[in-house]
Amino acid sequence: MKRIFGTKKEKPKPPTLDEATGRLDSRGSVLDEKIRKLDEQLAQHRAQIKKCRPGPAQEAAKRRALQVLKQKRLYENQRGQVMNQQFNVDQTSFALQSMQDSVQTVQAMKAAGKELKAAFKQPELNINSIENLQDDLTDMMDMHQEIQDVLGQNFGIPDDIDEDELMEELDALEDDLAADTEANADGVPSYLQEQDLPAAPSARPGHATAAQGEDEFGLPAVPQRT
């Protein structure tokens, strides 16, 4: 049967965008190389034109330079067309990649939505149960605070102590300390200062002072009665 009707030929697969981009890059590189070589030839022709005197030789050099310049313009136009094609292919590739990314994003969001729905169906996430749990925790924290307040009370303190009186007494004490500090130039309270003591006697015990005088035998003179 195959010999009679033959086999169906498979159509060649269309090139991908990456393959098209690669071919355009290759063509652009070839054209750039041709333009570079023509620039070198133009430089040589310009040098020859400068060296030649006006006449047939110079005109021939100009015609050759003009021909090279025409080829350069042709390659430059082709290079511009290749660049435009490459730009269009890049834009198409970018749009295709963006669409593929969008599809993957939507698929991921759908999968995440299914997981969220399944998670919300769990009994632990019931809103009424969560509110009851929050209320229970609040009550237990209040009870804990009350227990701590009871355990933190001081023993043996009279209940009839007025805090305002204590504050007044404390303020009076601070005023006394401030006044005592201002009264002393050196800033040392009076109860911390050294008291002035009488000077120590200069004469030895058993000896009279010079003010009393001595008799002819070296003994203290007897005061005369008046």
Side-chain angles (χ1 to χ4, degrees):
M1 296 295 293
K2 293 182 179 180
R3 293 179 180 179
I4 297 174
F5 298 101
T7 59
K8 186 179 180 180
K9 296 182 179 179
E10 295 182 357
K11 295 182 179 180
K13 295 181 179 180
T16 62
L17 291 176
D18 293 337
E19 293 176 352
T21 301
R23 292 183 60 181
L24 291 173
D25 288 340
S26 178
R27 288 178 57 189
S29 299
V30 172
L31 291 173
D32 288 338
E33 182 64 21
K34 289 182 178 181
I35 293 172
R36 185 187 63 80
K37 290 181 179 180
L38 291 176
D39 286 335
E40 293 178 355
Q41 294 180 14
L42 283 175
Q44 295 175 359
H45 290 316
R46 288 172 184 172
Q48 291 179 359
I49 292 173
K50 290 181 180 181
K51 291 180 180 179
C52 295
R53 295 180 180 179
Q58 190 180 49
E59 294 296 329
K62 288 182 179 180
R63 287 194 297 270
R64 290 192 296 269
L66 182 61
Q67 185 65 28
V68 173
L69 186 59
K70 290 180 179 179
Q71 292 180 1
K72 180 182 176 183
R73 292 288 183 270
L74 177 62
Y75 289 145
E76 287 178 347
N77 292 333
Q78 293 179 358
R79 184 70 179 91
Q81 294 177 358
V82 171
M83 291 179 64
N84 292 333
Q85 294 177 8
Q86 188 173 7
F87 176 77
N88 294 332
V89 171
D90 292 340
Q91 288 293 98
T92 305
S93 177
F94 176 79
L96 179 60
Q97 187 65 36
S98 298
M99 292 299 297
Q100 292 176 353
D101 295 340
S102 299
V103 171
Q104 292 180 358
T105 302
V106 173
Q107 292 175 351
M109 293 177 67
K110 287 182 178 179
K114 292 180 180 179
E115 293 180 0
L116 283 174
K117 289 181 180 179
F120 280 123
K121 292 180 181 179
Q122 297 179 5
E124 290 82 3
L125 295 180
N126 183 274
I127 186 63
N128 294 326
S129 300
I130 295 175
E131 289 179 351
N132 294 332
L133 176 61
Q134 187 71 14
D135 294 338
D136 293 339
L137 291 175
T138 302
D139 294 339
M140 286 187 287
M141 292 302 296
D142 292 339
M143 293 175 60
H144 175 266
Q145 186 62 38
E146 291 179 1
I147 294 173
Q148 295 300 319
D149 293 340
V150 172
L151 293 177
Q153 293 179 358
N154 295 323
F155 297 107
I157 297 179
D159 296 334
D160 56 350
I161 294 180
D162 190 358
E163 292 185 358
D164 295 336
E165 294 180 359
L166 292 177
M167 293 301 297
E168 292 178 359
E169 184 176 354
L170 180 60
D171 294 338
L173 180 59
E174 291 180 353
D175 294 339
D176 293 341
L177 292 176
D180 194 4
T181 302
E182 293 177 358
N184 297 280
D186 54 359
V188 180
S190 60
Y191 60 87
L192 295 179
Q193 294 181 355
E194 295 182 357
Q195 301 296 330
D196 295 334
L197 299 177
S202 58
R204 290 181 297 174
H207 291 76
T209 59
Q212 294 179 351
E214 295 179 352
D215 58 6
E216 55 183 347
F217 301 104
L219 297 175
V222 178
Q224 301 292 330
R225 295 180 181 180
T226 59

